[in-house]
């Protein structure tokens, strides 16, 4: 009797996801804050239809008005990472938390755990000092002082001073 036998081993693997949320060191109240969410396929096969759901405390807002916010990462090859940007804003100072959960075809899921965002304030104050009264054609100095009484650095500050038309500016610095 003639008999043949052939064995084959098939290894079935699925993709694996990991999620990392990277908030900035400090956010400024009233300003958009870019939060980075990195989703990685740590498995050996491609992962399709990757979607990240970012949920955050009520003190934070997304431009869409939605909470959670849904972000698409598409298909991830083995070892591939996609970094998604989630711009959030807070009206008032405080410490707020957010989490990100990634899902994909094949019932894959991963979560970042809670991550805190510290929202601080910028409080600019301006003062003008100089003489209250001067004589015609007399030189004088006004000094404009700007200070930040907040607890985070102010970025791109521009000072504009309105000068009456009767006054001729000879130097501004």
């Amino acid at each position: 009797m003639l008999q043949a036998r052939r064995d084959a081993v098939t290894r079935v693997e699925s993709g694996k996801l990991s999620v990392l949320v990277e908030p900035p060191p400090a956010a400024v109240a009233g300003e958009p804050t870019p939060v980075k969410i990195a989703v990685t396929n740590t498995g050996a096969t491609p992962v399709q239809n990757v979607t990240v759901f970012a949920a955050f405390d009520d003190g934070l807002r997304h431009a869409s008005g939605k909470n959670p916010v849904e972000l698409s990462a598409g298909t991830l090859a083995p070892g591939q990472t996609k970094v998604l940007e989630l711009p959030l804003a807070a009206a008032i100072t405080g410490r707020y938390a957010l989490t990100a959960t990634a899902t994909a075809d094949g019932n894959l899921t991963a979560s970042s755990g809670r991550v805190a965002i510290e929202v601080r304030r910028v409080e600019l104050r301006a003062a003008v000092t100089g003489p209250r009264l001067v004589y015609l054609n007399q030189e004088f100095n006004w000094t404009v002082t700007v200070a930040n009484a907040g607890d985070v650095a102010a970025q791109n500050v521009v000072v504009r001073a309105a000068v009456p038309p009767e006054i001729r500016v000879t130097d501004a610095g």
Side-chain angles (χ1 to χ4, degrees):
M1 163 195 267
L2 191 60
Q3 190 177 34
R5 181 174 174 183
R6 184 167 194 122
D7 291 332
V9 176
T10 303
R11 192 169 109 191
V12 177
E13 289 190 28
S14 63
K16 294 179 186 175
L17 294 175
S18 71
V19 180
L20 176 67
V21 176
E22 298 175 349
V28 178
E31 303 263 334
T33 301
V35 176
K36 292 184 185 335
I37 301 174
V39 60
T40 302
N41 177 1
T42 59
T45 61
V47 176
Q48 296 179 338
N49 297 318
V50 179
T51 303
V52 175
F53 298 91
F56 37 87
D57 288 346
D58 287 337
L60 297 171
R61 296 277 179 258
H62 185 263
S64 70
K66 295 179 181 178
N67 188 3
V69 174
E70 183 177 325
L71 305 167
S72 175
T75 299
L76 296 178
Q80 182 182 6
T81 298
K82 280 194 182 173
V83 178
L84 307 169
E85 197 163 289
L86 176 69
L88 297 175
I92 59 173
T93 60
R95 187 174 177 88
Y96 304 103
L98 73 99
T99 59
T101 302
T103 63
D105 288 354
N107 293 324
L108 296 178
T109 186
S111 184
S112 68
R114 292 176 61 84
V115 175
I117 297 176
E118 188 72 35
V119 179
R120 299 182 179 169
R121 68 183 171 84
V122 171
E123 186 179 324
L124 296 178
R125 296 182 181 168
V128 178
T129 56
R132 293 177 164 255
L133 178 67
V134 294
Y135 293 103
L136 193 60
N137 296 324
Q138 177 188 5
E139 287 192 16
F140 62 94
N141 291 319
W142 278 330
T143 303
V144 178
T145 305
V146 179
N148 180 2
D151 48 14
V152 68
Q155 303 292 323
N156 302 318
V157 177
V158 176
V159 177
R160 291 187 177 99
V163 179
E166 301 85 24
I167 297 177
R168 184 173 56 106
V169 177
T170 57
D171 183 30

